[in-house]
Amino acid sequence: MAVEIAATGSGAPSESQVGAILAKHPAERSALIPILQEVQAKLGYLPEEAMCQVAEALGVPEANVYGVASFYAQFRFAPIGRKQVHVCRGTACHVGGAPKILAEVKERLGIGEGESTPDREYSLETVACIGCCALAPCAVVDGKVEAKLTPKKVRELFQGVQR
Amino acid sequence: MPAYRSTVLLCAGGGCISCGCLPVREAMEAELKRRNLADEVRVVQTGCVGSCDLGPVLIVYPDEVFYQKVSPGDVPKLVDEHFLKGRVFERLLVKSAETDNLIATQREFAFFNKQVKIVLENCGVIDPENIEEYVARGGYLALGQVISERTPEWVIEELKKSGLRGRGGAGFPAGTKWDFVRKAPGERKYVVCNADEGDPGAFMDRSVLEGDPHRVLEAMAIAGFAASADQGYIYVRAEYPLAIRRTRRAIQQAREAGFLGRNLFESSFSFDIDIRVGAGAFVCGEETALLASIEGKRGIPRPRPPFPAVSGLWGKPTLINNVETYACIVPIITRGGDWYASIGTEKSKGTKVFALAGKIRNTGLVEVPMGTTLREIVYDIGGGVPNGRKFKAAQTGGPSGGCIPAEHLDIPMDYESLAKVGSIVGSGGLIIMDEDSCMVDVAKFFMEFCTDESCGKCPPCRVGTRQIYGLLDKITKGEARIEDLHLLEELCGMVKESSLCGLGQTAPNPVLSTLRYFRDEYLEHIVDRRCPAKVCPSLIRYSIDEAACTGCSLCARNCPENTIFKVEDQKKYRIDPARCVKCGVCFDVCRFGAVVKS
């Protein structure tokens, strides 16, 4: 019996977890992106072994799987923080002061875009537009939209975060 | 269904959910129960009402009383006043921008009463998660009629009569496109809905999928019937989780009700729809890139022809339209192409949804007949520019579009008129800017977006956008020379003419259009090393007006670089200009207007 590796959000990759996802999809090229999305939702990122496993199951060269995964901004190749911070840099947010908001978030968390805090509590990314333009400038913190942000609100949001 | 004396429509669009409408719903239901009103008053969670800056929003029927910015704490008082005492709870009403009068009903609110809703007619009115509400509004009737009584040719003829043009940006006549796919040789054909709404500033497609998903499903099934396709795909961006969830649920409900699946309405016609979730690539809004992405490949565009109508998904003829285009189909089938063609202008028919945002009093989604002037949208519906500032420009069409300056405020918003002034209708993003917006900074913002999102296949776009960005960056830093302006124009022309797909071909538009109308502002940056809107950090400086400074120390405590110090022997503060990073935090926190930007 295969030993099931306990997986947390950013834990160790599990062959059987990827296998379960593969079993739900037809073994064809068009299923590649949905499979990668599910793998990432499960494991928090795309470990190399998982991509190799997907490549083999679909009969697609490993280089192609990596080529697709690296093309799309959504896919990550390293574990992320438990709480994700997405700062919107859409037009309405930009004219509403998004650059200042981003600078403040970076300052508070002590990390740059695409990085995680050393304790893996937070990771920071920017997104093109989350479509809440009336609430600009905004960010999504741990799945919750934070509206009409000011540098002050950002400071309050991340109060107590150890840098 | 039991009869209710009153119905509370609670907007649960993306905006209102972010403002906390769900706790309001819980509070409302609990309070109604506590007051024994649960059998008399019904709470319905709807899609986006459109006035996103006022959320959470409630509309109480039958009187259409419009309550804004409702918090859970307001609910007991609201229930007490409105449902027990039978009077309007004034504290939560909207105030008129001009007269300061209270506006009691949705009908009286200029933001709504100037709009003509076709695409959004059900958004904010029905519960999007309940197929029965869509059916009760006549939903799936058009599909049933088309399948049992009409021919594909009839559908295409009505569509041609309607004059509907694709709402994704290019404005190609929808009827002609459907006809191409119908006539394209091939056994297997596909219908695709482009919901990869990537233009920053546009969110109408999200609202339609969140607020009225069945309308899109029904239209795609009609498209399948007209084009002889049996499979549809909706390609939605991953950034819209609520739209994805509601559309998934709608597909499930439609299958259970027999509106999707095999042998629809006991005919030989079968049609089903699957969702594909985008993975974060703006270029996938381009149709050939989108199709590559559905096939499981890198989302890279290819040259056209062949167009998708001839060779699309897996090389088969494919009908691809965006969400807003499909959202127009059912009304056209039900009320006729001639009716639709009676709305709008000679060449731009029907209505267009604009996502109004930026420096404007009422933000949100507005649907108006094509040809409505920009002035009507900005001042009558949008309520004008707030804080006593002046309108400077409207940006339409996102990173592919351009700016419309104040001198063109009376322009009719339609495909032809906007093209004439160097902008586009595009997907319908409409960002209003006031004097505090720097046009060079705006151009640089869009160019940065394009450099990030260029897929890298063709060098004019991959390299050209980067070079343009570099020049704009120099200008905003006060490091450019006048020759750079000519270089910039030359480069823009080259990228426009030689890029492979729409992304590169339109990427220079924001630069060209700001150069056309705001050349002086570019020159000021270059020659005078000055940013008139006081936006570009390298060209501004912060100082403290000692006469206004109260010595409260708020700025000094907030300065991230500790560059603000107390003047000896005085209760005043001063900024060390040599170490100031121009983040503007001091300017934002000062309550006495003592921090001056110059």
Side-chain angles (χ1 to χ4, degrees), chain B residues 143 147-148 221 254 258-272:
Chain B
L143 177 64
I147 292 176
S148 43
F259 298 134
L260 286 178
R262 303 207 56 80
N263 302 102
L264 302 182
F265 295 91
E266 290 159 6
S267 72
S268 60
F269 174 63
S270 300
F271 190 79
D272 207 348

Side-chain angles (χ1 to χ4, degrees), chain B residues 220-371:
Chain B
M220 287 177 72
I222 292 171
F225 175 77
S228 317
D230 62 358
Q231 177 66 45
Y233 290 98
I234 302 181
Y235 189 89
V236 200
R237 24 188 337 233
E239 288 87 341
Y240 289 174
L242 184 64
I244 294 168
R245 192 166 65 77
R246 288 192 180 154
T247 309
R248 279 220 170 99
R249 177 175 291 208
I251 290 175
Q252 198 51 45
Q253 290 173 344
R255 280 179 189 153
E256 283 162 15
F259 298 134
L260 286 178
R262 303 207 56 80
N263 302 102
L264 302 182
F265 295 91
E266 290 159 6
S267 72
S268 60
F269 174 63
S270 300
F271 190 79
D272 207 348
I273 297 175
D274 278 319
I275 290 192
R276 284 286 184 274
V277 177
F282 173 71
V283 71
C284 286
E286 198 280 339
E287 56 183 17
T288 61
L290 186 151
L291 297 176
S293 183
I294 294 180
E295 292 174 8
K297 299 175 187 157
R298 292 164 71 96
I300 288 178
R302 59 161 178 80
R304 298 174 303 179
F307 286 88
V310 177
S311 173
L313 263 188
W314 297 290
K316 307 281 187 276
T318 301
L319 173 56
I320 175 162
N321 280 126
N322 85 332
V323 173
E324 194 183 341
T325 316
Y326 283 122
C328 300
I329 300 298
V330 173
I332 289 173
I333 297 298
T334 313
R335 288 182 249 183
D338 290 329
W339 161 79
Y340 192 81
S342 69
I343 303 162
T345 64
E346 194 197 331
K347 286 186 174 157
S348 302
K349 301 298 188 191
T351 57
K352 175 79 191 96
V353 184
F354 289 98
L356 192 57
K359 307 290 180 71
I360 183 112
R361 194 170 273 119
N362 306 328
T363 57
L365 287 185
V366 299
E367 182 172 0
V368 288
M370 284 277 188

Side-chain angles (χ1 to χ4, degrees), chain B residues 534-572:
Chain B
K534 296 176 192 158
V535 171
C536 298
S538 308
L539 304 179
I540 51 172
R541 59 185 293 264
Y542 289 91
S543 55
I544 292 174
D545 174 3
E546 291 188 4
C549 178
T550 62
C552 75
S553 82
L554 194 58
C555 56
R557 281 184 281 131
N558 278 285
C559 177
E561 299 293 315
N562 294 320
T563 61
I564 304 181
F565 57 92
K566 199 166 181 181
V567 183
E568 298 233 350
D569 305 329
Q570 282 181 54
K571 266 185 74 183
K572 305 283 174 194

Side-chain angles (χ1 to χ4, degrees), chain A:
Chain A
M1 203 171 82
V3 179
E4 178 95 21
I5 302 165
T8 55
S10 56
S14 156
E15 209 182 309
S16 62
Q17 283 176 315
V18 176
I21 291 167
L22 285 166
K24 286 196 284 174
H25 293 271
E28 53 194 43
R29 174 75 192 239
S30 65
L32 175 58
I33 294 172
I35 289 171
L36 292 178
Q37 285 170 330
E38 280 190 45
V39 170
Q40 179 159 298
K42 192 87 195 165
L43 305 176
Y45 72 110
L46 296 179
E48 196 179 323
E49 307 79 50
M51 285 191 283
C52 295
Q53 197 183 337
V54 172
E56 200 181 328
L58 298 187
V60 174
E62 286 171 12
N64 270 354
V65 172
Y66 181 73
V68 166
S70 59
F71 180 82
Y72 296 98
Q74 190 191 25
F75 296 117
R76 289 177 299 263
F77 304 108
I80 45 146
R82 280 174 283 276
K83 293 175 187 159
Q84 294 174 55
V85 182
H86 294 270
V87 177
C88 182
R89 55 182 181 111
T91 320
C93 286
H94 181 79
V95 298
K100 266 189 218 172
I101 302 303
L102 180 61
E104 190 65 37
V105 174
K106 285 180 177 169
E107 172 78 20
R108 288 296 128 192
L109 296 178
I111 52 173
E113 289 179 52
E115 294 176 1
S116 302
T117 51
D119 61 0
R120 289 249 173 86
E121 189 62 18
Y122 289 98
S123 52
L124 171 62
E125 277 167 43
T126 57
V127 289
C129 181
I130 55 172
C132 293
C133 306
L135 308 173
C138 53
V140 184
V141 180
D142 198 18
K144 183 169 177 284
V145 178
E146 299 291 345
K148 297 189 180 168
L149 286 171
T150 60
K152 186 159 172 270
K153 272 196 190 170
V154 172
R155 276 198 297 284
E156 289 164 5
L157 215 51
F158 298 114
Q159 219 163 31
V161 171
Q162 298 281 318
R163 270 191 284 156

